[in-house]
Amino acid sequence: MRKTFLLLPVLFFLHFVLLAQQTGKTNLVNPFVEVQERKGDQGQISIRQSQAIEQSLLLFVEMNQNSPGVEGYRVQIYSGTGSKARQEAQNVRGKLLSSFPNEKVTVEYKAPFWNVRVGYFRHKHESLLLLRKLRGIFPNSYAVRDSGIKPEYFE
């Protein structure tokens, strides 16, 4: 009797975990199925592998589809907190745009920091060229990694 009372909550929990996994699935394209499908007069491909490899790849595809963007680099020229940080960030943005009107500048708030960042670069060495230019006006600027950049922002 005691085992039944202990087993019941565990089964109840597992039921909801499995249900959440099934309802949370998106329409993923399985590359293994796509490659093995025969199209027109093409030859037949068969893949033999463990189920763990396929599950690992599908998890990787799902994580990439759910990510907000790709990883890249930007140049941060200001970061501040406090009651006047928002106004200071806007002032820094204006100062930057007066000197470099063609640069893409964003003012971001990630509690408790106000950040001013410039440019969108795929690789760090690309951001370093802009960083050298900006150091004359903003000596405390530095390159930062950003993982939420939309691919269309890259030039």
Side-chain angles (χ1 to χ4, degrees), residues 86-97:
R86 181 178 184 179
Q87 185 59 45
E88 289 172 0
Q90 292 297 338
N91 292 343
V92 167
R93 179 183 180 273
K95 184 177 178 181
L96 177 91
L97 286 175

Side-chain angles (χ1 to χ4, degrees), residues 1 3 91 108 112 154:
M1 184 76 166
K3 290 180 183 178
N91 292 343
E108 303 168 347
F154 296 119

Side-chain angles (χ1 to χ4, degrees), residues 2 19 48 56 61 63 83 92 94 99 115-116 127 134 137-138:
R2 190 177 257 195
L19 185 66
R48 291 186 201 125
S56 177
V61 169
M63 286 175 20
S83 60
V92 167
S99 301
N115 298 320
V116 179
S127 69
L134 294 174
I137 302 170
F138 305 99

Side-chain angles (χ1 to χ4, degrees), residues 51-87:
Q51 190 69 18
I53 291 176
E54 186 171 340
Q55 292 296 327
S56 177
L57 180 73
L58 291 176
L59 179 65
F60 180 74
V61 169
E62 184 177 4
M63 286 175 20
N64 281 334
Q65 285 180 342
N66 294 334
S67 70
V70 296
E71 190 153 306
Y73 289 87
R74 305 192 67 207
V75 176
Q76 183 161 310
I77 59 173
Y78 174 79
S79 181
T81 61
S83 60
K84 296 182 181 181
R86 181 178 184 179
Q87 185 59 45

Side-chain angles (χ1 to χ4, degrees), residues 71-74 110 117 124 142-149:
E71 190 153 306
Y73 289 87
R74 305 192 67 207
K110 291 181 183 174
R117 293 184 176 179
K124 188 173 184 177
Y142 56 96
V144 293
R145 185 180 297 180
D146 194 343
S147 60
I149 301 174

Side-chain angles (χ1 to χ4, degrees), residues 12 30 43 55 61 65 84 89-90 99 105-107 111 117 126 128 132 134 139 141:
F12 188 71
N30 188 335
Q55 292 296 327
V61 169
Q65 285 180 342
K84 296 182 181 181
Q90 292 297 338
S99 301
V105 185
T106 56
V107 175
R117 293 184 176 179
E126 296 169 343
L128 296 178
R132 282 189 205 115
L134 294 174
S141 57

